[in-house]
Amino acid sequence: MGDGSPASETLAARCCIVGGGPAGMMLGLLLARAGVDVIVLEKHADFFRDFRGDTIHPSTLEVVYELGLLEDFLTRPHQKIHLLRGWIGDEMIPVADFSHLPTRCKFIALMPQWDFLDFLTQHARKYPNFHLRMQAEVTELIEEGGRVAGVRAHTPAGSLEVRADLVVGADGRHSTVREKAGLETIDLGAPMDVLWMRLSQQPGDPKESMGRFYPGHVFVMIDRGDYWQCAFVIPKGGFEEVKRRGLDAFREEVARGAPFMRERVSELSDWDHVKLLTVAVNRVREWCRPGLLCIGDAAHAMSPVGGIGINLAIQDAVAAGNILSDPLRRGPAGVDQLRAVQRRREWPTRITQRAQVLIQNRIIGRVLTAQAKSFSAPLPVRLMRRWPFLRRIPARLIGMGVRPEHVSRDLRQAT
Ligand SMILES: Cc1cc2nc3c(=O)[nH]c(=O)nc-3n(C[C@H](O)[C@H](O)[C@H](O)COP(=O)(O)OP(=O)(O)OC[C@H]3O[C@@H](n4cnc5c(N)ncnc54)[C@H](O)[C@@H]3O)c2cc1C
């Protein structure tokens, strides 16, 4: 593709969304509901990918409620987190209490991302104007008369060309759309990477997700019902050094983070059981060009601090749906309308990233370089143990975020 040879298949839609992640599927659902002809192109054959973000926050659950889909969502297997606790050294401190949030669901729901995407897809497929093509990997943008006019993709059946009035790049942190559109990225940096792994659960394990901070390490355990999803935070670029020290040394470090799992760390019998997430925090300067808009991770890769990447992606999709569905029903969306999406979402993104970078540098970075004797919880965290109401502040920031979006009345009424 991209060599000028004719495509084996050509399609047309009002809007072509590249990427069937949380941002792309939610926007696809919203636009389809509004009566806009929309096609989502996803490069994978299914949504099944391990160690993706699985935290559905109260503000996303509120959106699901506003769409009238909460009852169905809650019938699907999930776990609930009402209170987040952190172990700082040997001290356990509750840090975020979601039970007071002004939302319908006062908890974080843990649902495998593929189940959440299946849920969105099932509802989107009820609309005849919604189309999803799996195994369609976008490789090129089609540009005509100074604007983006569609995309070219590889599929198992050959090349595919989709012509559209609007192309939305929702293709994640390594976005092809962003790169092909030449959108400039601002990199905010991160002092850490994350190693993901799973360890089995056994009777008698504490039934709660928690983060453990101890000199040199941060270890997070997420209760997934029958297993623990674990994140082991390491200094940026440090995975090779971890490997060099050997699997036995790594298992010992993991056991220090979760002493009750000491007997189980042998389940990590191979480095293949450990997946590296290279942490990046960045955002594009301009989210749009004529005929093109980026949302979700494609517009801003978030730090894993707070586990809010999915939430931000969904919030972008809701803002884009609210602002663009009406214009797109009538014709192409103008660049001013695309800029309105950036204006709406850029500020919450900047504030959230600033807070994440602060926590990365002031707390996580210090823990990673801490010596045993200098180690203690920072004052604001210690105060949370004494004054429980302070736990509502992080709960609000994590659970609802900055400027939570609500589905417009128009889109709520459309069914
Ligand atoms: C290991 C890991 C753990 C995480 N944990 C959490 C967490 O606990 N909580 C949380 O909120 N966030 C977490 N995140 C971040 C979260 O997954 C993302 O922020 C969120 O998924 C972003 O959604 P998105 O739709 O913008 O992009 P993505 O979810 O990345 O979706 C992009 C989609 O586009 C597709 N795609 C890519 N390129 C193309 C192409 N050229 N053509 C067609 N399709 C394409 C991809 O296959 C993918 O399905 C985690 C991320 C990682 C990597």
Side-chain angles (χ1 to χ4, degrees), residues 201-317:
Q201 285 206 355
Q202 286 179 11
D205 281 359
K207 290 304 284 176
E208 60 188 2
S209 303
M210 64 187 102
R212 209 170 173 121
F213 297 74
Y214 52 107
H217 298 292
V218 178
F219 188 67
V220 179
M221 285 168 288
I222 303 171
D223 174 11
R224 303 311 309 269
D226 52 355
Y227 69 93
W228 291 102
Q229 183 177 337
C230 304
F232 188 82
V233 182
I234 57 169
K236 184 99 209 136
F239 192 31
E240 283 312 310
E241 172 60 17
V242 171
K243 279 191 188 164
R244 200 192 52 73
R245 288 201 295 267
L247 206 46
D248 280 342
F250 178 65
R251 285 193 288 243
E252 182 54 36
E253 285 178 355
V254 171
R256 274 185 66 211
F260 69 92
M261 292 206 276
R262 179 165 287 282
E263 302 306 316
R264 268 167 267 174
V265 292
S266 56
E267 291 168 13
L268 303 170
S269 58
D270 194 288
W271 285 116
D272 284 349
H273 296 145
V274 181
K275 300 272 178 291
L276 169 70
L277 164 67
T278 305
V279 176
V281 187
N282 61 41
R283 60 176 179 267
V284 285
R285 203 177 289 280
E286 298 286 340
W287 295 31
C288 58
R289 281 181 41 192
L292 178 130
L293 171 72
C294 282
I295 60 169
D297 275 16
H300 47 71
M302 307 301 291
S303 160
V305 170
I308 47 173
I310 298 178
N311 211 39
L312 269 261
I314 295 285
Q315 301 288 308
D316 285 1

Side-chain angles (χ1 to χ4, degrees), residues 4 16 24 31 61 128 132 135 174 193 197-198 218 220 228 265 280 287 318 328 338 376 395 397 413 415:
C16 173
L31 292 183
L61 293 167
L132 171 63
Q135 289 183 284
H174 304 293
D193 288 330
M197 66 213 89
R198 59 162 78 191
V218 178
V220 179
W228 291 102
V265 292
W287 295 31
V318 173
L328 285 175
L338 304 181
S376 67
L397 293 173
Q413 281 164 356
T415 49

